[in-house]
Every structure is written in structure tokens, then in C-alpha cells.
Amino acid sequence: DADVTQTPRNRITKTGKRIMLECSQTKGHDRMYWYRQDPGLGLRLIYYSFDVKDINKGEISDGYSVSRQAQAKFSLSLESAIPNQTALYFCATSDSGGVWTGELFFGEGSRLTVL
Amino acid sequence: LAKTTQPISMDSYEGQEVNITCSHNNIATNDYITWYQQFPSQGPRFIIQGYKTKVTNEVASLFIPADRKSSTLSLPRVSLSDTAVYYCLVGALMFSGGYNKLIFGAGTRLAVHP
């Protein structure tokens, strides 16, 4: 089983619908992230969380919200989906040890299409 | 956060050594350099990290000159399976209480040909 699991892996929805992407991890990491990837643009950070009580906006948080339900769970919501939110979404985790290793552990991605 | 610049794409052939250079002119004193590899429809995977001089692991080598304004990822004897996008990231070494937000650029798309 994957250490970082995203559900659903693929989703097609319509404009205006509410969508939730879920992420769970078994790595025991404190820090979790949501990234969005569009063709040719690399990955852009949407939100990140350093523990259950900590939520921070990333580069492109408008139109998104997150919830850190537990150390192992971090969900991303689109309250009213629009077509330009069609993208590949990645969840990632990292350790919070005293020395940062620079290593993020990514899930397999959730492909979202908004019609 | 230091901005990075790397080539959009590169081509190589099986068995050759590939060097991908990343420029990061405004790197800060406590910044580390990290490289990730991404295959299609998969999340990025950590390859290597360094601060200065040379770092080598079972996958790649990372060369960082004394001024640290650039770095070179070296992949020895590439195979078709090394075809992927490679990202160079620069971020601060943060102790507990800080943060390690990483910014990914567009990366370098490496195509390895038979």
C-alpha cells in the first residue's frame, strides 16, 4: 500500500459542484501539502499544514479550502468548481525533524476535470 | 525564496551521461538545493540534495560550485526509463518552528532515445 494515498484518482464534475479530494498518509509526518499541476507549469502550492492546528495558504489558494482532520488526513475542497480548476492535484508530506532533509513524499495524484 | 532557471527540455541517448544545470543566482546562505524526478501521471520523487561541493548517491551526482549560484545534476549512463521531468528546487534549511515551503518550477523534460 502507498504511504500517501489520494482519493479519488480521477473525477469528472460539472461547473458549480462541490468537490473534495482526500489525502491520507501512513508515514507519521506532521507536514502535509496540496499542489496543483498544469501542463508546462510544474507544480504550484495551494495550501500546506504543519500540524493539525496549522493551515497556511500557498501560491494559489483562491477558490480552494482545506481541512486537516487528523495528523494523517488532509483534504482539499473546491466549493464551486470551475473549468480552470481542471488539473492534476498532488498531496505530499514531509517530516518536521530538527534538520530539514528537503524530501517531500507525494501521492499518486488526483486528476480532476471540470466541465 | 530563490528563483531557479533550468532548460525546458533535453535529449539524450541510452548509455550517455546527462548533465542538467540549474541557475539560482539569489540563493541564500541557509538554502539547500534539491532535485526531484517526475514520471508521467506520478508524483515527483526526491533524487538528491546538497549544500555545496559534490554529493553522490546510487541514482545521481550533484555538483555545486563554491559560489552556489548554480548546480548540476548528473545522471550516469541513462536508460529509457530515465525519461522524465527533473525539477531543481532551492529552499531554506529550517529547524523546528520554521517551515520548508518548496516552489517547483516547470522543470527540465529529459527524453532518452534508443
Side-chain angles (χ1 to χ4, degrees), chain B residues 2 24-32 51 68 90-92:
Chain B
H24 27 79
N25 290 320
N26 60 339
I27 189 169
T29 301
N30 58 350
D31 282 345
Y32 271 59
Y51 185 80
R68 304 199 329 121
V90 174

Short mmCIF file of all heavy atoms in Angstrom, two decimals, chain B residues 2 24-32 51 68 90-92:
data_model
loop_
_atom_site.label_atom_id
_atom_site.label_comp_id
_atom_site.label_asym_id
_atom_site.label_seq_id
_atom_site.Cartn_x
_atom_site.Cartn_y
_atom_site.Cartn_z
N ALA B 2 14.55 31.57 -3.38
CA ALA B 2 15.39 31.74 -4.54
C ALA B 2 14.70 31.20 -5.78
O ALA B 2 14.13 30.12 -5.77
CB ALA B 2 16.71 31.01 -4.32
N HIS B 24 20.60 29.50 -9.87
CA HIS B 24 19.88 30.07 -8.72
C HIS B 24 20.75 31.18 -8.16
O HIS B 24 21.39 31.04 -7.10
CB HIS B 24 19.56 29.01 -7.67
CG HIS B 24 20.47 27.83 -7.64
ND1 HIS B 24 21.71 27.87 -7.03
CD2 HIS B 24 20.33 26.59 -8.16
CE1 HIS B 24 22.29 26.69 -7.16
NE2 HIS B 24 21.47 25.90 -7.84
N ASN B 25 20.78 32.30 -8.86
CA ASN B 25 21.70 33.40 -8.57
C ASN B 25 21.49 34.04 -7.21
O ASN B 25 22.43 34.58 -6.63
CB ASN B 25 21.60 34.47 -9.66
CG ASN B 25 22.17 33.98 -10.98
OD1 ASN B 25 23.20 33.31 -11.02
ND2 ASN B 25 21.50 34.30 -12.08
N ASN B 26 20.25 34.03 -6.70
CA ASN B 26 20.00 34.70 -5.42
C ASN B 26 19.81 33.70 -4.29
O ASN B 26 19.06 33.94 -3.34
CB ASN B 26 18.79 35.63 -5.53
CG ASN B 26 17.53 34.88 -5.92
OD1 ASN B 26 17.60 33.80 -6.46
ND2 ASN B 26 16.38 35.48 -5.65
N ILE B 27 20.52 32.61 -4.36
CA ILE B 27 20.43 31.59 -3.31
C ILE B 27 20.92 32.19 -1.98
O ILE B 27 21.89 32.96 -1.95
CB ILE B 27 21.24 30.34 -3.70
CG1 ILE B 27 20.98 29.20 -2.72
CG2 ILE B 27 22.72 30.66 -3.82
CD1 ILE B 27 21.53 27.87 -3.18
N ALA B 28 20.23 31.86 -0.91
CA ALA B 28 20.57 32.39 0.40
C ALA B 28 21.50 31.43 1.14
O ALA B 28 21.63 30.27 0.79
CB ALA B 28 19.30 32.61 1.21
N THR B 29 22.13 31.97 2.16
CA THR B 29 23.14 31.22 2.90
C THR B 29 22.61 29.89 3.44
O THR B 29 23.30 28.88 3.42
CB THR B 29 23.68 32.05 4.07
OG1 THR B 29 24.24 33.26 3.55
CG2 THR B 29 24.74 31.29 4.85
N ASN B 30 21.36 29.89 3.91
CA ASN B 30 20.84 28.66 4.51
C ASN B 30 19.98 27.84 3.56
O ASN B 30 19.24 26.96 3.99
CB ASN B 30 20.08 28.98 5.80
CG ASN B 30 18.93 29.93 5.55
OD1 ASN B 30 18.81 30.49 4.46
ND2 ASN B 30 18.08 30.13 6.54
N ASP B 31 20.07 28.12 2.28
CA ASP B 31 19.31 27.36 1.29
C ASP B 31 20.03 26.07 0.90
O ASP B 31 21.25 26.07 0.70
CB ASP B 31 19.09 28.18 0.01
CG ASP B 31 17.98 29.20 0.15
OD1 ASP B 31 17.19 29.09 1.10
OD2 ASP B 31 17.92 30.11 -0.71
N TYR B 32 19.27 25.00 0.76
CA TYR B 32 19.76 23.76 0.20
C TYR B 32 19.22 23.60 -1.22
O TYR B 32 18.24 24.23 -1.59
CB TYR B 32 19.29 22.57 1.05
CG TYR B 32 20.23 22.21 2.16
CD1 TYR B 32 20.56 23.14 3.15
CD2 TYR B 32 20.81 20.95 2.24
CE1 TYR B 32 21.43 22.81 4.17
CE2 TYR B 32 21.67 20.61 3.26
CZ TYR B 32 21.99 21.55 4.21
OH TYR B 32 22.85 21.23 5.21
N TYR B 51 24.33 20.93 -0.36
CA TYR B 51 24.55 22.31 0.06
C TYR B 51 25.75 22.92 -0.70
O TYR B 51 25.67 24.04 -1.18
CB TYR B 51 24.79 22.38 1.56
CG TYR B 51 24.92 23.79 2.07
CD1 TYR B 51 23.80 24.57 2.29
CD2 TYR B 51 26.18 24.35 2.32
CE1 TYR B 51 23.91 25.87 2.74
CE2 TYR B 51 26.30 25.64 2.77
CZ TYR B 51 25.17 26.40 2.98
OH TYR B 51 25.29 27.70 3.41
N ARG B 68 27.82 28.73 -5.30
CA ARG B 68 26.48 28.13 -5.13
C ARG B 68 25.41 28.79 -6.00
O ARG B 68 24.22 28.61 -5.76
CB ARG B 68 26.06 28.15 -3.67
CG ARG B 68 27.03 27.47 -2.75
CD ARG B 68 26.51 27.05 -1.39
NE ARG B 68 25.49 27.89 -0.85
CZ ARG B 68 24.28 27.44 -0.52
NH1 ARG B 68 23.94 26.18 -0.75
NH2 ARG B 68 23.40 28.27 0.02
N VAL B 90 15.22 25.16 -4.62
CA VAL B 90 16.09 25.77 -3.63
C VAL B 90 15.25 26.20 -2.45
O VAL B 90 14.25 26.91 -2.62
CB VAL B 90 16.85 26.97 -4.21
CG1 VAL B 90 17.65 27.67 -3.13
CG2 VAL B 90 17.77 26.52 -5.34
N GLY B 91 15.61 25.77 -1.27
CA GLY B 91 14.82 26.12 -0.09
C GLY B 91 15.68 26.12 1.15
O GLY B 91 16.75 25.53 1.21
N ALA B 92 15.15 26.79 2.17
CA ALA B 92 15.93 27.01 3.37
C ALA B 92 15.95 25.79 4.27
O ALA B 92 14.98 25.04 4.38
CB ALA B 92 15.39 28.20 4.13
#
